[in-house]
Amino acid sequence: MTATPGLRRTSRILLLDPAGRVFLMDTKAPSSDGAHRWITPGGGVDPGESHRDAAIRELREETGIAVTDPGEPVWSWDFAVGWDQADHDRGHAEFYVVRTPGFELSDAGWTDDERVDILASRWWTADELDATNESYEPAELPDLVRRHRD
């Protein structure tokens, strides 16, 4: 199976704590080889929904954190999707920054797919991302964390 031609719009949240760490989730990729990677909370923009509203909804669904205004996007990313089980071949992501003093992760808003696809979660420093052999997306993530941690 190959990705169907099409664009998937997503909103992603750089969730940062006072130490400048970013919260990431280890998630299964839509790939027959079992690949997984660390990504920020976030997900697809529903039809008729703005990137901003999707960021608010996805953050609440995936972490339990409710915000009313994530501010303006701080970065956007256009990318090709190479996963062989993806339902799209291109993506566009808008990134927002939300700061938190810490939180208790809640899976109450997770979809059935998220309950299967989210393997783990943890806080990362930019230096830990630079040093790891684990996969994460986007490749620019350590630089984004450094740029927005203060």
Side-chain angles (χ1 to χ4, degrees):
M1 175 179 174
T2 58
T4 305
L7 174 70
R8 181 172 188 242
R9 296 172 43 224
T10 61
S11 293
R12 310 234 51 102
I13 298 91
L14 294 169
L15 187 60
L16 301 172
D17 74 0
R21 300 177 305 169
V22 64
F23 181 78
L24 300 178
M25 298 174 137
D26 186 16
T27 64
K28 291 182 183 176
S31 178
S32 61
D33 66 2
H36 59 98
R37 75 282 194 225
W38 291 92
I39 59 175
T40 63
V45 177
D46 290 339
E49 187 177 42
S50 69
H51 276 281
R52 178 188 172 280
D53 289 343
I56 292 168
R57 177 182 51 76
E58 288 286 346
L59 183 62
R60 182 181 22 74
E61 288 175 359
E62 292 189 356
T63 67
I65 296 173
V67 298
T68 57
D69 185 5
E72 294 298 316
V74 297
W75 190 66
S76 63
W77 180 39
D78 292 299
F79 54 96
V81 175
W83 307 114
D84 66 351
Q85 294 180 339
D87 61 0
H88 56 287
D89 65 354
R90 296 173 289 125
H92 173 80
E94 297 283 331
F95 283 74
Y96 296 82
V97 171
V98 172
R99 298 178 193 288
T100 181
F103 69 102
E104 184 74 30
L105 179 65
S106 171
D107 63 2
W110 289 9
T111 64
D112 290 342
D113 286 343
E114 287 167 335
R115 292 186 186 286
V116 171
D117 292 343
I118 297 174
L119 306 173
S121 62
R122 65 167 275 204
W123 293 95
W124 292 79
T125 66
D127 290 345
E128 288 171 333
L129 288 169
D130 281 335
T132 189
N133 290 325
E134 303 241 8
S135 296
Y136 59 83
E137 293 178 1
E140 297 84 354
L141 191 55
D143 292 333
L144 286 169
V145 171
R146 285 185 181 98
R147 194 175 326 146
H148 298 286
R149 67 183 169 198
D150 300 319

